[in-house]
Amino acid sequence: AEHETLYQKLQDTRYLSESVARLSGIDTRQPLLHMQRQIAGFTRRRQVLRLRQIGGVAALFLILLGSFWLVHRQSSLRQPPVDRPILAGGPRAVLHLGNGELIHLDTLQQTITQGEVRISKTDDRKLSYDSRQEKNEKSGKVVYNEIEIPRGGEFDLVLADGTQVWLNAESRLRYPVEFSGKERKVVLEGEAYFQVKKNPSLPFRVEIRNQVIEVLGTEFNVSGYKDEVHVYTTLVNGKVKVATTGRDMTLLPGEQCVLDTGDGSMIRQQVDVDKIISWKKGKFILEEQTLEQIMQKLARWYDITVFYQNPALKNKVFKGSVPRYAELQQVLNILEKTGEVQFHIQNRTVIVKE
């Protein structure tokens, strides 16, 4: 019956018109906006959830990265620093020209000309002066050069007269580019070995601190560092006269003059020349030397600083021989075998302990 009634209404055109009119008055925008708001809210909730998930993963990654850095840093702190070996010295020197110019000789390649004198390196460790003027042509004007050997360096020099000089670490020699006048005079700080070209008419003189060494033609070693009280002049062959204020002494081969720069006193003693000049031949031969004297030599050669935990250790006396061109640690190991002393290297400082 209901279906029949509905059929009759659908056949009624007036009923259909009234129904369409009622439907056209319904507001369809509000339900549509409501549905869009619900969809947008759902989408935002999903985005927030996704952002929270991404943030959680990022935070976990940062925590893991920070933990790795902290473990790596603690591991690095626990490991003691690896000190590089301290190598022996080598051919290094700075040449001071008369005009004030400085030349690092370990990198010098070309020949230098000063007046009529050619200055050149004959090998990686020797500087040579060659005068092209005849003796009677030499002018009276004297131009000086100075060669400076730093800590950890050594260098050889051939002067214009043919005299050969071997310079030890932390030494300086001031000398004329070419000799003129009635003498050949040079000024030394530190230690050097001289092989003087013989010239009876032109004596060769070495000034060092408070003394002058005069020779005609000979070989000798002289050591007089400013941080030491004594100046040691050792004659290898020939004859030299050592003079200071108010006194002098003539040496024969195998003799050594010891000048006390404090009171000016001089003593003569017999020495083993080969041990004195061993530094020139690649060794340190220790002849009844105190630990302080030994460490002073090593400090100059290896460019290090020495610290004594107990100052009394400075007075211990050692004998023996150590290689000059070995690494510092190898040299210290030899001294440690005596059982008298131990060494610890920290950067470029050697700590001496019992």
Side-chain angles (χ1 to χ4, degrees):
E2 292 180 0
H3 293 291
E4 185 176 355
T5 302
L6 178 60
Y7 176 76
Q8 294 294 330
K9 287 180 178 181
L10 291 174
Q11 295 296 320
D12 188 351
T13 56
R14 191 176 69 177
Y15 172 78
L16 289 174
S17 298
E18 292 175 354
S19 297
V20 170
R22 285 195 302 268
L23 289 173
S24 62
I26 297 175
D27 187 2
T28 60
R29 291 179 300 171
Q30 293 300 326
L32 180 60
L33 291 174
H34 178 69
M35 183 177 64
Q36 288 176 342
R37 284 195 295 267
Q38 286 183 328
I39 293 173
F42 177 74
T43 303
R44 282 196 298 269
R45 285 194 297 271
R46 290 190 61 185
Q47 289 175 342
V48 170
L49 180 59
R50 182 174 294 178
L51 288 173
R52 287 178 178 174
Q53 291 173 341
I54 294 173
V57 172
L60 179 61
F61 174 76
L62 291 175
I63 291 171
L64 291 175
L65 182 63
S67 300
F68 173 78
W69 178 84
L70 183 59
V71 171
H72 177 73
R73 175 177 171 79
Q74 290 177 342
S75 176
S76 301
L77 292 175
R78 284 195 299 268
Q79 296 177 356
V82 179
D83 289 330
R84 294 181 180 180
I86 298 178
L87 303 179
R92 286 187 289 276
V94 178
L95 179 64
H96 300 248
L97 299 180
N99 60 7
E101 183 181 355
L102 302 182
I103 299 173
H104 292 270
L105 296 181
D106 48 331
T107 59
L108 176 66
Q109 300 294 332
Q110 74 276 12
T111 297
I112 304 168
T113 301
Q114 284 196 303
E116 295 298 322
V117 179
R118 294 169 58 87
I119 309 170
S120 59
K121 282 173 61 177
T122 55
D123 57 41
D124 66 344
R125 58 176 303 116
K126 181 181 288 186
L127 187 70
S128 181
Y129 285 71
D130 180 24
S131 177
R132 293 176 290 177
Q133 281 187 333
E134 298 296 330
K135 291 182 180 178
N136 56 6
E137 296 178 349
K138 293 181 180 179
S139 64
K141 183 179 179 180
V142 180
V143 177
Y144 285 90
N145 283 181
E146 182 173 279
I147 186 170
E148 175 188 359
I149 316 300
R151 291 167 70 93
E154 62 180 357
F155 221 82
D156 304 341
L157 179 66
V158 180
L159 299 175
D161 68 334
T163 293
Q164 297 188 57
V165 187
W166 289 259
L167 287 145
N168 206 346
E170 202 173 14
S171 301
R172 304 170 75 102
L173 185 72
R174 186 173 184 268
Y175 52 91
V177 171
E178 54 182 343
F179 294 101
S180 62
K182 298 180 180 180
E183 65 177 3
R184 297 170 288 169
K185 185 173 73 173
V186 299
V187 180
L188 173 67
E189 293 180 14
E191 182 172 19
Y193 182 92
F194 290 85
Q195 190 176 73
V196 179
K197 188 77 170 180
K198 190 172 183 179
N199 186 348
S201 63
L202 205 62
F204 192 94
R205 292 184 173 91
V206 179
E207 290 187 7
I208 178 169
R209 299 182 72 176
N210 297 338
Q211 75 173 28
V212 178
I213 305 165
E214 182 178 335
V215 301
L216 296 177
T218 187
E219 295 183 40
F220 64 97
N221 192 87
V222 57
S223 177
Y225 287 97
K226 288 186 175 181
D227 60 348
E228 296 181 353
V229 176
H230 298 99
V231 178
Y232 302 89
T233 305
T234 307
L235 184 62
V236 178
N237 61 57
K239 182 186 288 188
V240 300
K241 182 173 73 173
V242 182
T244 186
T245 305
R247 57 176 62 88
D248 60 61
M249 179 185 295
T250 301
L251 297 180
L252 299 177
E255 293 183 338
Q256 182 182 74
C257 171
V258 182
L259 169 67
D260 189 318
T261 59
D263 59 17
S265 62
M266 303 171 71
I267 63 171
R268 183 201 315 270
Q269 59 186 18
Q270 293 287 331
V271 295
D272 186 335
V273 171
D274 289 333
K275 293 180 179 179
I276 301 298
I277 65 173
S278 61
W279 66 270
K280 179 175 167 287
K281 300 178 180 180
K283 288 184 177 181
F284 289 111
I285 297 181
L286 315 176
E287 177 67 16
E288 294 291 335
Q289 293 186 9
T290 65
L291 182 60
E292 182 178 27
Q293 291 173 318
I294 296 169
M295 296 308 295
Q296 282 178 327
K297 290 181 171 64
L298 297 182
R300 296 186 192 107
W301 182 232
Y302 289 95
D303 189 14
I304 58 173
T305 302
V306 181
F307 174 76
Y308 297 87
Q309 284 190 346
N310 182 0
L313 294 172
K314 297 180 180 181
N315 300 319
K316 287 186 176 292
V317 178
F318 289 80
K319 291 183 179 180
S321 173
V322 294
R324 180 174 169 87
Y325 294 101
E327 291 181 8
L328 176 61
Q329 186 63 67
Q330 295 176 325
V331 175
L332 298 180
N333 289 344
I334 295 173
L335 295 175
E336 283 185 341
K337 289 180 179 179
T338 63
E340 297 287 331
V341 68
Q342 291 184 335
F343 302 95
H344 173 68
I345 300 176
Q346 185 174 342
N347 297 323
R348 299 197 73 87
T349 298
V350 175
I351 301 171
V352 186
K353 53 188 179 180
E354 293 180 289

